[in-house]
Amino acid sequence: MPCEAFFLPSAAGQRFALLYTPEPATKQRGAVVYVHPFGEELNKSRRMAALQARAMASAGYSVLQIDLLGCGDSTGDFGDATWEAWLADVRLACAWLQERTPAPLWLWGLRSGCLLVNEAAQRMPTPVKLLLWQPVLSGKQFLQQFLRLKVAAEMLASDGKGVMERLRSQLRQGEAIEVAGYLLSPALAHGLEQAELLLPHRSGRVEWIEISGRPDASLSPAATARLTQWQAAGQEARGTAVSGPAFWQTTEISECPALLEASLRALSETIPA
């Protein structure tokens, strides 16, 4: 299937993008915007994102992948990024794709990218569908885990007492901090900390897929609780678990074929009433 690499112009530089489109003879079934995860998880997951985009295009979906401000091959440094700027990038990608592909729109996020697509969907004028891969439920908890990388590094060089509080104090005072090679701005840290995977009032249906290292894969209790809450509120949502490696954090680049197959089914199937 055709794949085009180009730069999307934005108000703050250019965003690198990849567009996968169906073959001309294939019926257009939908449009998908992919939002990548945070930090090093982006690099680890590129292969799986590419494999899924190709599979979607073969099935009739136009897929746009965008590198957010300061990430990948887009302009700017990671230290320039803010949560609002990333949300603006998601809106830019959606508007660009919808202008060219008037098919039903899906927002597809991985990990922290799910927080972005969830919030972006809330702000869009019309409902969109969500495909969530191993979603992060709490930005605050995710930020805490990210900062622990810095805490662990400093504990190797010192006693590590009060490191976490010092890092948070620096962010509150408007100072950027370096964590695992990434310069984290106070604005990005604040936006991430406030993000929560809430009931997506402005979305169509939600397909939530988790990956488990166990052969008898099942949804996590947290996912089950959140989906049950959403369904009780009238949200059309479904959860699926597949077996495979946590490819966004494995040492070597890895694949999860079961996830690719489950995602294609999720896009094409309707949720039973």
Side-chain angles (χ1 to χ4, degrees), residues 6-17 33-36 64-78 80-98 105 107 113 116-117 120-121 123-124 188:
F6 59 98
F7 284 95
L8 272 176
S10 76
Q14 295 183 315
R15 302 293 174 266
F16 179 75
V33 170
Y34 170 67
V35 181
H36 61 71
L64 182 65
Q65 299 181 329
I66 182 173
D67 286 351
L68 304 173
L69 169 63
C71 300
D73 293 312
S74 287
T75 57
D77 296 322
F78 192 86
D80 300 325
T82 68
W83 194 253
E84 285 298 324
W86 281 357
L87 284 168
D89 286 348
V90 176
R91 291 195 297 271
L92 171 70
C94 290
W96 187 92
L97 187 58
Q98 286 186 296
L105 180 65
L107 280 174
L116 283 165
V117 302
R123 302 186 185 190
M124 294 186 71
L188 179 55

Side-chain angles (χ1 to χ4, degrees), residues 173-208:
Q173 293 171 21
E175 298 178 33
I177 59 174
E178 184 275 326
V179 181
Y182 293 90
L183 188 64
L184 178 67
S185 72
L188 179 55
H190 177 74
L192 177 60
E193 191 168 37
Q194 299 303 309
E196 184 78 19
L197 200 66
L198 301 174
L199 179 67
H201 295 290
R202 297 307 304 276
S203 77
R205 81 172 194 265
V206 177
E207 294 286 352
W208 177 316

Side-chain angles (χ1 to χ4, degrees), residues 19 31 47 54 63 144 151 166 219 262:
L19 176 66
R47 177 161 178 78
R54 293 188 190 114
V63 183
Q144 182 85 354
V151 172
R166 175 169 57 80
L219 289 172

